[in-house]
Amino acid sequence: MKDFERLRQECLSEIAALGIKTGTVREWVINTRARSRWGQCRLEPDGTYTIQIAESLLTDDRISEKACKETIIHELLHTCKGCMKHQGRWKANAVMMNCRYGYNIKRVTSGKEKGVENYKPERMTVKYVFTCGGCGATIYRKRDSKFTKYYRRYGCTRCGATDWRKKTVN
Ligand SMILES: [Zn+2]
Ligand SMILES: [Zn+2]
């Protein structure tokens, strides 16, 4: 588990050290729900910002502190004036942070780039895992369906075998 307070403070001072002025963050939300994005920045009606950070960034030890800070900084840079889009000043500031500190802050970052291969942000919502006895292919299903019920009748699309191992996750 990473120390979110410390990382956030480090990000803020690194940004400030380059003379970049960030907006007021009203609330930081650690998002525990399975989501496909690492962070999100929302402009509130009063001109302040709410930033969401995926909980897995803090809890998943495969993700480095640097990768976690890249997301925090990515979102903080959205709070600068006129920086809600990934263009213009947002982009210029991101490039500046990357050059100065060796970050790799980009518009979109995949799971692999966070150091996690085959990252499945939705893994908690998966109900069944089917493994093909023929080739080892895996199929994930979030809910009951014809397939989850009658899987014995279905052939593997990769090898054609009808030899599924069913595992109920939750
Ligand atoms: Zn963004
Ligand atoms: Zn197969």
Side-chain angles (χ1 to χ4, degrees), residues 62 105 165:
R62 295 172 300 175
I105 298 160
R165 313 279 150 77

Side-chain angles (χ1 to χ4, degrees), residues 13-15 17-20 66 92-105:
S13 26
E14 285 169 11
I15 292 171
L18 293 191
I20 299 170
K66 178 169 169 268
N93 285 340
V95 168
M96 228 156 72
M97 293 297 291
N98 291 345
C99 290
R100 176 68 176 78
Y101 300 107
Y103 287 125
N104 184 22
I105 298 160

Side-chain angles (χ1 to χ4, degrees), residues 39-41 74-75 78 83-86 90 106-108:
Q40 192 184 5
C41 181
H74 174 123
E75 302 309 332
H78 278 311
C83 285
M84 281 313 273
K85 289 190 177 141
H86 301 114
W90 182 91
K106 298 194 302 187
R107 203 168 60 81
V108 194

